[in-house]
Amino acid sequence: MIQLNNIHKSYNLKTNPLHVLKGINLSIEEGEMVAIMGASGSGKSTLLNILGMLDEADSGTYTLDDTPIVQLSETKAAQYRNKFLGFVFQSFNLISYKTALENVSLPLYYQKIPRKERLIKAKENLDKVGLGERIDHVPSELSGGEKQRVAIARALASEPKVLLADEPTGALDTKTSYDLMALIQEINEQGKTMVVITHEHDIANMCKRIVHLRDGVIVEDKKIKQVKAKDHVE
Ligand code: ADP
Ligand code: MG
């Protein structure tokens, strides 16, 4: 599903270069659930931005679902992002004056999906994340865990091949984090490929594989026995 080959990325190339990714090789198969771990500043978000086509590597190759991702125009990159990728962020990134239903259906509007179909899809995905009863609430009327569920529903509504999550539990307390991981595991069990950035070991252990970044290099990449989040809630 994902192949990164010798990816390098620096910031401030012209002024004061900071070499952040130093030859990343990473291959992720369909249906995997991979944690990307590493200390703050190790390059996790930079890597995710490249995976998410929000930024481009300086060198190396990236192939996503057999499609080479190279020097895409803004339009093409946006098309591929919509088709392949869903994003979930630590800070939820919901629109504060829109309801859960509107937040989930908005990306579908930009994909020119007719209104009726948008609303059906948005409702279906809110049901899937357990928020079927909260569709008319605005973010300030939802808890942190619920907001992140809305963000997940929004990401899923476009039916991406891969879900990229940057510290999805970073703003949540432990119990809420485990609840959310139970949902993410369930979505992964239904076949969705997941990449989860975290610096928390308990969250990483709920994935199926841990890739450890240190100073822009992968220092460890191992399959693990997945801890089931469900066993740690209640
Ligand atoms: P992590 O997500 O692991 O904390 P990042 O990928 O965000 O790490 O950052 C890696 C390094 O790159 C840090 O030293 C950070 O300050 C720097 N950095 C990140 N984004 C930029 C940017 N847009 N411009 C310049 N430096 C950046
Ligand atoms: Mg980061």
Side-chain angles (χ1 to χ4, degrees), residues 11-12 18 20 38-47:
Y11 290 113
N12 316 317
L18 180 68
V20 177
S40 177
S42 57
K44 303 183 298 294
S45 294
T46 302
L47 179 59

Side-chain angles (χ1 to χ4, degrees), residues 9-13 15-22 41 58:
K9 176 74 184 177
S10 296
Y11 290 113
N12 316 317
L13 261 184
T15 49
N16 184 18
L18 180 68
H19 197 179
V20 177
L21 298 180
K22 305 169 181 165
D58 300 328

